[in-house]
Amino acid sequence: MSTELDTVPESPPGARGYALRADRVFDGERLHGPATVVVEGGRIAGVHPGESPLRPDLATVDCGPDTTLLPGLIDTHVHLVFDATPDAAANVQRVGDEELIEQMRVRAQAMLAAGITTARDLGDRRYLTLALRGELASAPAAGPQLLCAGPPITTVRGHCWFLGGEVPAGADLRAVVAERAARGVDAVKVMVTGGQLTPGSHGGLVQFHSQALDALVTEAHRHGLPVAAHAHARAGIADALAARVDSIEHCSFMTEDDVVPDDDLIRAIAAAGIVVSLTLGFAPTDQPMPPDFAARVPKLMDLVRRIVVSGATVTIGSDAGIAPVKPHDVLPLAVVQLAGICGDAAAALAAVTSVAARSCGVPDCKGRLAPGYDADFVVVRGDPVADIATVRDPVAVYRAGELVAGGHPAQGELR
Ligand SMILES: [Zn+2]
């Protein structure tokens, strides 16, 4: 942590600053003792360890007794267009753009209230998330900062074809990527395999092989865009690795009716530095999981343990929206789950802050408490490294320096 007061040159002149004091801070990698964070112009201007306020000229907000200040949480894989019902895939095909974007606004708000200040949407319809991204950029209290992929690239009638990203067999994937880049996406999402959500598809089907993926990855990287590859089947995971995608989403090693991990392949993914975006987080619901999926959950949890043990870089991409167990604010539950599996709460918190920021291509502004970073914070009661469950109940959430959810009763509103 910095002990100097670093002024951020980009801060708008005259922007009113304030200081935020907490008993502990998690800086994106590890926990520290008491500190004061100075916020100016929506960004962190300085992080000062210790008790004493260094800037008597600034209003100081005390986060309250026994609180911890963390970077806002980052979900690396959500779907704002899906409604988290058993009929998510059918419902998105029934609703018009206006109504859908209204629903997406409500979902974005729920995410923010849970402490999710950045969300990467890996599959929308008609680039609707890009419109919402623009809205939320100027209204921090209305939702997280969005990073968007647009419609996922898929085969004709392939996984999630109904979102509009179908590509005919043999088509030039470079042009498909270039079109997305021209629209201003933040990432490229490709359905390397099929998936359960789409009638007629399943995770065991491979849709794109490594040669096609090579062209896609080369073009995406030429535009500075990370490639997120949805891959369930072992063969698809191997193709994604061979093409050097940036993240493998799900990485479930699912067959049509089982989960069959390949530890050699997992080690190769770890060695290649490819991020595994773990599809964790299952909210309690009255609606039972499909029995075939429920039967696989224990095997999937064992797989997550193997992936973590391999030393692979992991983030959490909850896949929020696809089913009743995946409400849009499910990420904090997933953090608790990952901490339980890997036995390391600090590592689980890093996975949804600094590591997620790096994976999403925003390592210089998100996921850390350090000068120059966006003032996106979650305040929790107690010590989240000792008791990770506290992330499920944030005391306050800040985005771009604005208090957007909760508050500090001892202190009242920002002065
Ligand atoms: Zn997804």
Side-chain angles (χ1 to χ4, degrees):
M1 284 196 302
S2 164
T3 51
E4 302 300 315
L5 181 69
D6 302 304
T7 304
V8 183
E10 291 84 352
S11 291
R16 191 177 59 153
Y18 62 91
L20 207 50
R21 199 212 73 86
D23 285 352
R24 295 172 216 89
V25 295
F26 180 81
D27 66 3
E29 288 181 347
R30 58 186 69 85
L31 193 71
H32 303 269
T36 300
V37 175
V38 174
V39 175
E40 280 173 355
R43 293 211 178 96
I44 298 171
V47 181
H48 310 280
E51 290 289 357
S52 53
L54 299 181
R55 291 278 299 266
D57 57 314
L58 292 179
T60 298
V61 178
D62 196 312
C63 290
D66 192 26
T67 47
T68 304
L69 184 67
L70 303 93
L73 309 183
I74 303 171
D75 194 331
T76 58
H77 184 151
V78 306
H79 297 280
L80 283 162
V81 296
F82 290 140
D83 63 4
T85 69
D87 305 314
N91 289 345
V92 73
Q93 297 175 63
R94 278 199 278 267
V95 63
D97 283 356
E98 280 306 308
E99 190 183 344
L100 183 53
I101 203 158
E102 196 48 49
Q103 294 174 2
M104 291 160 68
R105 289 187 185 107
V106 174
R107 293 164 195 160
Q109 189 84 67
M111 297 173 83
L112 189 63
I116 303 159
T117 54
T118 303
R120 184 164 76 163
D121 190 288
L122 288 185
D124 74 359
R125 191 186 80 193
R126 289 163 56 84
Y127 297 92
L128 287 180
T129 52
L130 274 71
L132 188 59
R133 180 184 69 185
E135 272 183 40
L136 299 181
S138 54
Q145 174 158 344
L146 296 183
L147 300 166
C148 310
I153 297 169
T154 192
T155 50
V156 174
R157 297 282 137 161
H159 183 41
C160 285
W161 62 269
F162 46 82
L163 294 178
E166 288 176 296
V167 174
D172 182 1
L173 290 178
R174 286 173 302 187
V176 175
V177 170
E179 187 209 335
R180 281 163 174 73
R183 287 192 179 254
V185 299
D186 302 292
V188 172
K189 168 78 177 299
V190 57
M191 300 298 201
V192 176
T193 71
Q196 313 304 122
L197 187 70
T198 306
S201 183
H202 64 80
L205 298 171
V206 176
Q207 302 194 154
F208 295 104
H209 292 283
S210 64
Q211 199 180 350
L213 293 173
D214 278 344
L216 180 148
V217 170
T218 302
E219 181 69 7
H221 288 174
R222 202 171 70 76
H223 293 282
L225 298 171
V227 174
H230 160 111
H232 287 295
R234 187 205 169 280
I237 294 168
D239 281 341
L241 167 65
R244 290 294 190 268
V245 301
D246 298 280
S247 66
I248 299 179
E249 308 296 315
H250 316 303
C251 198
S252 70
F253 289 89
M254 273 205 247
T255 63
E256 201 167 349
D257 55 5
D258 203 357
V259 175
V260 186
D262 176 340
D263 286 321
D264 288 338
L265 187 50
I266 292 170
R267 278 191 288 271
I269 291 165
I274 292 173
V275 174
V276 179
S277 176
L278 301 167
T279 316
L280 292 171
F282 301 94
T285 160
D286 309 338
Q287 319 212 31
M289 282 187 198
D292 58 328
F293 183 78
R296 277 185 270 191
V297 168
K299 288 183 174 180
L300 287 169
M301 294 309 105
D302 175 63
L303 168 65
V304 169
R305 189 190 55 74
R306 287 166 187 255
I307 291 170
V308 169
V309 166
S310 77
T313 303
V314 299
T315 63
I316 301 178
S318 69
D319 223 359
I322 62 154
V325 292
K326 296 287 187 183
H328 289 86
D329 57 0
V330 75
L331 183 68
L333 274 172
V335 179
V336 174
Q337 197 177 14
L338 179 58
I341 293 168
C342 69
D344 184 343
L349 289 169
V352 292
T353 54
S354 59
V355 179
R358 213 159 57 229
S359 173
C360 292
V362 287
D364 300 326
C365 57
K366 299 290 183 190
R368 285 182 188 277
L369 295 191
Y373 280 71
D374 291 350
D376 297 346
F377 310 124
V378 176
V379 179
V380 300
R381 254 177 224 98
D383 171 357
V385 172
D387 175 19
I388 190 68
T390 191
V391 299
R392 293 182 56 191
D393 187 21
V395 175
V397 181
Y398 290 77
R399 179 155 111 72
E402 253 184 59
L403 177 65
V404 293
H408 310 286
Q411 198 78 17
E413 293 294 305
L414 285 181
R415 283 175 284 149

